[in-house]
Amino acid sequence: MAKVIEGLYYSESHEYVRVEGDFGFIGITDYAQNALGNVVYVDIPEVDDEVMAGEEFGAVESVKAASDLISPVSGTVVEVNEALDDQPELVNQDAFANWIIKVEMSDKAELDNLMDAKAYAAFCEK
């Protein structure tokens, strides 16, 4: 069973958001990194790029597959996890510690469209 952390918001496309004030740290879930296998590349947007809820903002490539990253919330990218440029495998080691982008959210009400940990765990079991 994949690890699910309380207090985060989850999307059906297996991204999470960790909220700190007006900022959201977005990454892929433990379930997603398990499904992908060994991550070899993370395509990350630039700082100041706009992301839109439900739209692609990058991709994760593994030895098995490539998967688009779908933003769970809208906002402006204020920071990227540059460690993933040289060490994309960090996502496999701890998907929740190794977020991909930090965004200043433009509409926190979008969080209401996401699942809590309990709902996401049930979703993953289907």
Side-chain angles (χ1 to χ4, degrees):
M1 168 76 189
K3 182 166 83 171
V4 177
I5 296 180
E6 289 289 334
L8 303 182
Y9 297 87
Y10 297 89
S11 69
E12 289 187 2
S13 54
H14 304 288
E15 286 84 15
Y16 68 83
V17 182
R18 184 179 83 235
V19 176
E20 293 182 8
D22 291 332
F23 298 97
F25 292 83
I26 300 172
I28 64 170
T29 64
D30 192 51
Y31 179 93
Q33 73 81 18
N34 276 329
L36 281 166
N38 294 332
V39 173
V40 295
Y41 178 72
V42 182
D43 179 28
I44 303 174
E46 303 283 326
V47 170
D48 293 331
D49 281 0
E50 297 289 322
V51 296
M52 297 295 295
E55 293 188 10
E56 179 186 334
F57 72 86
V60 175
E61 294 179 19
S62 71
V63 290
K64 295 199 282 196
S67 181
D68 289 338
L69 294 167
I70 308 298
S71 186
V73 292
S74 301
T76 304
V77 177
V78 294
E79 192 177 339
V80 298
N81 187 347
E82 293 178 358
L84 299 178
D85 287 343
D86 297 325
Q87 297 178 285
E89 68 276 6
L90 290 171
V91 172
N92 294 119
Q93 291 169 17
D94 188 339
F96 293 112
N98 292 288
W99 49 272
I100 298 171
I101 59 173
K102 176 182 176 182
V103 300
E104 185 170 4
M105 294 180 287
S106 56
D107 183 3
K108 289 178 79 171
E110 290 174 339
L111 295 168
D112 296 340
N113 300 327
L114 302 172
M115 293 176 273
D116 64 12
K118 185 177 176 186
Y120 181 70
F123 175 78
C124 290
E125 288 175 12
K126 287 182 185 170

